[in-house]
Amino acid sequence: MKVTVFSNDGSSSVQVANRLTQKLINTGFVIDDQTPDVVISVGGDGTLLSAFHRYTHDLAHIRFIGVHTGHLGFYTDWRDFEVDDLVVALQEDLGQSISYPLLEIKIEYADTHEISRSLALNEVTLRRYAATLRTDVYIKENFFESFRGDGLCISTPTGSTAYSKSIGGAVLHPRLDAMQMTEIASINNRVYRTLSAPIVLPSDEWLLLKPSKTSDYVVTIDQFTFKDRPIASMQFKIAKERIQFARYRHTHFWNRVEDAFIGSKHEI
Ligand code: NAP
């Protein structure tokens, strides 16, 4: 099995990554960052996002593992003090995996009509800062609403606990093949009207945004930001690709949610 360790540049992550890499070499694993079978990210959920974008070209083949140097995350099953256990689990690997949906985004640029295709693990946002974002929203080919406000966020189920949750989106179980659109500060008054609630779409439907003609949009795809290009349209659907994780242990999704957002609590 070819393995690579992908770390953020925090000193504790680098230390854990070096220790893990040495243990992997000592136990006979081949370290290969070009064509790995397994990518182990060391840091947090944000580091796993970066590892995902580094290896999006080979998702059918790669399984990811997340090691968290802080608390337990949503993409991370292992803590930094469990590196020895992780190496044992890798030695006993039987190819166990679990996969989650990704978001496909196609942007058609108004200047060249070039279409770019990307994948998001968490979410894509379309925003304007200096002025109101105006965009028509279509579900499949049907006009749904005219949005005015700060922006829109389209997220995956695993991304629903990230930015989407901060702007009032629902938390989706990652077993759902769905995407969620959440509004960012929509304008609602006698003149302008949006649904004013997050919507969740199944995998056989798609969203199309046709923003008004301007170039000062800001588009984010997970941790990346793109701006200052006129956009003709943006199409969102659940991608045919999925992210696969090597799953040697199972943490119940709702336990992760409870642990991350609620913490200590008492039954009545
Ligand atoms: P960052 O600003 O360094 O990290 C943002 C926080 O989001 C970190 O605490 C990160 O956890 C957490 N996070 C990332 N993915 C998550 C997920 N699927 N579920 C729950 N929490 C998650 O940015 P970054 O590390 O480059 O990550 C980019 C992501 O940050 C974006 O995709 C966006 O979802 C999120 N973000 C959220 C807000 C907000 O909630 N207001 C604002 C900006 C960005 P770790 O500490 O484990 O890395």
Side-chain angles (χ1 to χ4, degrees):
M1 184 195 286
K2 291 180 289 177
V3 182
T4 189
V5 179
F6 183 101
S7 161
N8 66 27
D9 52 14
S11 60
S12 60
S13 299
V14 171
Q15 267 181 25
V16 174
N18 289 342
R19 192 153 49 87
L20 175 58
T21 305
Q22 199 52 56
K23 279 185 191 299
L24 289 167
I25 292 168
N26 294 347
T27 42
F29 287 98
V30 176
I31 305 296
D32 180 345
D33 69 355
Q34 295 303 309
T35 57
D37 304 306
V38 171
V39 173
I40 307 175
S41 89
V42 178
D45 285 330
T47 317
L48 193 291
L49 277 182
S50 303
F52 162 76
H53 284 282
R54 162 73 179 78
Y55 291 102
T56 40
H57 59 280
D58 204 9
L59 292 177
H61 169 233
I62 290 174
R63 288 179 297 153
F64 291 84
I65 295 175
V67 176
H68 210 299
T69 45
H71 50 90
L72 199 64
F74 284 90
Y75 297 120
T76 52
D77 286 342
W78 300 84
R79 300 285 305 278
D80 47 3
F81 52 80
E82 298 176 306
V83 158
D84 292 345
D85 297 343
L86 173 56
V87 174
V88 172
L90 277 161
Q91 287 176 302
E92 295 170 354
D93 177 77
L94 297 170
Q96 305 94 312
S97 74
I98 184 158
S99 71
Y100 297 131
L102 299 168
L103 188 64
E104 177 193 89
I105 155 96
K106 284 184 182 162
I107 303 179
E108 183 188 350
Y109 292 102
D111 47 3
T112 58
H113 295 285
E114 167 206 349
I115 295 176
S116 78
R117 178 184 187 267
S118 311
L119 294 174
L121 176 55
N122 267 356
E123 79 285 293
V124 175
T125 68
L126 172 68
R127 285 182 261 196
R128 275 183 90 193
Y129 286 109
T132 303
L133 170 73
R134 293 190 294 141
T135 181
D136 286 341
V137 179
Y138 296 76
I139 298 179
K140 294 169 88 174
E141 53 281 337
N142 301 315
F143 173 74
F144 182 67
E145 64 182 11
S146 243
F147 175 90
R148 281 173 174 75
D150 280 4
L152 288 167
C153 167
I154 294 87
S155 71
T156 63
T158 53
S160 71
T161 46
Y163 181 65
S164 175
K165 179 177 176 297
S166 299
I167 53 169
V171 171
L172 300 192
H173 195 291
R175 242 189 354 249
L176 295 171
D177 259 339
M179 63 179 168
Q180 175 171 208
M181 183 178 81
T182 311
E183 300 179 354
I184 310 170
S186 58
I187 300 175
N188 270 285
N189 53 31
R190 284 165 179 263
V191 184
Y192 304 129
R193 177 97 26 238
T194 63
L195 183 65
S196 299
I199 59 172
V200 178
L201 291 99
S203 58
D204 60 348
E205 297 200 345
W206 63 92
L207 273 168
L208 188 68
L209 305 185
K210 289 189 181 174
S212 63
K213 288 186 183 56
T214 169
S215 61
D216 58 350
Y217 298 115
V218 177
V219 174
T220 65
I221 300 179
D222 295 337
Q223 70 273 54
F224 300 106
T225 303
F226 307 89
K227 51 186 173 183
D228 301 331
R229 204 144 166 215
I231 293 171
S233 69
M234 299 173 82
Q235 188 200 66
F236 302 87
K237 53 164 66 163
I238 297 294
K240 59 182 187 310
E241 300 93 333
R242 294 171 70 88
I243 183 169
Q244 304 181 72
F245 287 86
R247 180 53 59 88
Y248 303 127
R249 47 160 67 162
H250 179 64
T251 307
H252 197 286
F253 174 68
W254 297 114
N255 288 348
R256 276 182 213 263
V257 173
E258 187 269 327
D259 182 65
F261 299 117
I262 302 173
S264 61
K265 61 184 189 275
H266 309 283
E267 290 180 51
I268 299 171

